[in-house]
Amino acid sequence: MKLLTVIGARPQFIKAAVVSRAIKVLNRSRSHQIEEVIVHSGQHYDINMSDVFFAELDIPAPNHRLNLTKTEHGAMTGEILEGVERIITEVKPDIVLVYGDTNTTLAGALAASKFHVPIAHVEAGLRSFNMRMPEEINRVLTDRISRWLFCPSQAAAGNLEREGARTWQVGPGIQPEIDIVGDVMLDAALYYKEKAKPTDAVKKIIGHTGGQYYLSTLHRAENVNDLARLKTIFRALSDISRKRPVIMPLHPRTRNMLPVDGSLSDTLIIIDPVGYLDMITLLANCQSVFTDSGGLQKEAYYFGKPCITLRDETEWVELTALGCNILTGANYAKIIDAENQLTAMKVENTLLIYGNGDAGGKIVNILARR
Ligand code: UDP
């Protein structure tokens, strides 16, 4: 069976590493064989947003790389769509596999649907219910045309049920299959935490803080493209860092917006994005996380760290319900207040709300038996 994996953004490399490894395990069993062909859309291309993940996480080198020339949503999605269409014609895959909610996800799924190639969507059913988020549009549309909806949680499957997924048609007489497989990022966290050896650069940065620090990332369009929100978040993080240093591996999109006006404390330690293994080290040793990332909210949970989410809503509703994640949006007073609550927050992370770390194996077994 030939599987065409379409990836292109940082979190997709981490998720795809999990599934590629599960494919290798399956192929060794010889009962089923999956030939994986990987397309890298080029959505993220820097060494520290792309290459480092392939090198560290042992992801097979992409068989195809698209040459993106544009960054606007429409143009980028169009270029990926065109590129993936060309590759589908050449490779003739049995299934196209996409991850998450980026332009690469939607373009890969759209290309497959026009050639009637069944689509498997990992991280199906997540919803922020905010249709102004590009990610929300990408996920809703990708789910609607996918044959396999691999959900990370009960809540995600519930969202699909409520949207009527059981009645959708994704081909003549073909209805989608909803599988709650758990979160592939949990597989990644469990597997790579055993392998994480920090680089000297990260050891030095942690050492600089005396081992007491918060970890923060920020990259969502809703925060970065809105100068008022961006300034407020940086002002809050800067003030908090005077109590406890904040290490912030910063996404290039956010970095391009700096300096936001006002003086940032030098205890807000802004560094380039780091590889996943360094990120795990930073997570394991921090006191808490401040982020607008989807992936990092769960990783904070997996590593037993309370999380303050710099967004107005989250797709990972289990975490706010458990009280280990506080939503503050870009509200200065709420961010400061949430920081004051951190020491009292308990992270009960043995509940298996996102599965037990075998999502990759479940996904490939289902696809292999299709
Ligand atoms: N990450 C990383 N290096 C960094 C920042 C994040 O390896 O400098 C990892 C993080 O641990 C998580 C993933 O990237 O596994 C999250 O990606 P991102 O925040 O870009 O996307 P989202 O999860 O919000 O879709």
Side-chain angles (χ1 to χ4, degrees):
M1 190 266 275
K2 216 187 245 185
L3 181 75
L4 186 74
T5 296
V6 184
I7 49 181
R10 173 170 66 190
Q12 291 166 339
F13 306 139
I14 300 163
K15 293 164 197 168
V18 167
V19 176
S20 289
R21 193 160 42 81
I23 290 174
K24 279 188 211 145
V25 172
L26 177 97
N27 286 351
R28 277 202 295 271
S29 79
R30 294 180 187 278
S31 56
H32 295 281
Q33 293 291 306
I34 294 181
E35 181 193 345
E36 185 180 32
V37 179
I38 298 181
V39 183
H40 187 323
S41 75
Q43 188 173 341
H44 285 164
Y45 49 84
D46 306 16
I47 291 176
N48 54 17
M49 293 293 286
S50 170
D51 299 9
V52 64
F53 295 94
F54 282 84
E56 277 186 355
L57 308 186
D58 215 13
I59 311 170
N63 306 80
H64 302 266
R65 275 179 188 271
L66 303 180
N67 221 344
L68 285 195
T69 59
K70 312 232 170 65
T71 53
E72 300 83 8
H73 279 289
M76 178 197 284
T77 310
E79 281 191 333
I80 302 173
L81 178 59
E82 252 187 312
V84 177
E85 271 191 8
R86 210 173 39 246
I87 293 163
I88 289 179
T89 327
E90 191 186 314
V91 173
K92 301 193 178 17
D94 299 296
I95 295 174
V96 166
L97 175 62
V98 294
Y99 293 87
D101 54 24
T102 70
N103 291 338
T104 298
T105 316
L106 178 61
L110 261 182
S113 73
K114 299 291 169 66
F115 284 96
H116 312 146
V117 181
I119 300 153
H121 184 203
V122 175
E123 276 199 357
L126 292 178
R127 296 291 180 264
S128 66
F129 302 101
N130 175 359
M131 285 299 270
R132 292 175 65 93
M133 278 180 82
E135 293 90 344
E136 183 77 353
I137 319 264
N138 291 340
R139 359 176 140 97
V140 168
L141 298 180
T142 301
D143 281 344
R144 179 58 189 84
I145 53 179
S146 293
R147 163 85 176 75
W148 290 275
L149 296 160
F150 292 121
C151 298
S153 62
Q154 295 278 354
N159 290 334
L160 291 170
E161 302 272 358
R162 269 190 302 282
E163 287 173 19
R166 299 269 175 214
T167 65
W168 294 345
Q169 299 271 323
V170 290
I174 302 173
Q175 281 167 346
E177 178 179 316
I178 301 174
D179 293 295
I180 303 172
V181 292
D183 179 21
V184 284
M185 301 287 274
L186 174 57
D187 300 30
L190 293 176
Y191 183 76
Y192 291 107
K193 85 173 173 198
E194 304 303 330
K195 306 194 172 305
K197 289 210 182 61
T199 55
D200 289 344
V202 157
K203 265 196 254 172
K204 204 166 146 196
I205 293 161
I206 295 178
H208 196 66
T209 66
Q212 293 287 314
Y213 65 91
Y214 294 134
L215 177 64
S216 178
T217 71
L218 192 77
H219 74 286
R220 292 252 97 78
E222 74 220 41
N223 286 330
V224 177
N225 298 345
D226 181 329
L227 206 54
R229 288 181 71 102
L230 192 66
K231 280 183 189 170
T232 307
I233 292 171
F234 269 102
R235 187 161 63 88
L237 290 176
S238 189
D239 287 351
I240 286 168
S241 77
R242 293 188 176 94
K243 281 170 71 180
R244 173 172 279 160
V246 177
I247 300 179
M248 193 171 203
L250 205 55
H251 194 286
R253 174 197 276 170
T254 320
R255 188 120 207 186
N256 288 339
M257 301 298 288
L258 295 183
V260 288
D261 65 2
S263 59
L264 295 181
S265 165
D266 57 10
T267 45
L268 176 59
I269 306 166
I270 294 177
I271 59 174
D272 285 337
V274 296
Y276 183 66
L277 300 184
D278 270 343
M279 196 61 184
I280 284 186
T281 302
L282 284 169
L283 255 166
N285 293 289
C286 75
Q287 270 67 54
S288 302
V289 171
F290 291 70
T291 192
D292 62 2
S293 158
L296 205 54
Q297 288 176 62
K298 284 168 299 150
E299 286 166 343
Y301 175 69
Y302 300 146
F303 283 85
K305 313 291 174 177
C307 182
I308 294 178
T309 297
L310 306 161
R311 290 183 48 198
D312 300 322
E313 65 278 310
T314 180
E315 300 75 22
W316 305 101
V317 289
E318 302 80 8
L319 302 178
T320 43
L322 279 175
C324 56
N325 185 342
I326 301 181
L327 287 179
T328 61
N331 180 308
Y332 180 87
K334 284 191 183 166
I335 300 171
I336 300 295
D337 182 55
E339 196 269 337
N340 287 324
Q341 296 179 50
L342 282 172
T343 41
M345 282 164 75
K346 297 267 172 296
V347 182
E348 172 48 270
N349 65 357
T350 54
L351 301 174
L352 307 183
I353 48 179
Y354 299 123
N356 44 19
D358 62 354
K362 285 184 176 143
I363 290 168
V364 299
N365 280 318
I366 291 168
L367 294 179
R369 288 198 313 265
R370 84 201 191 289

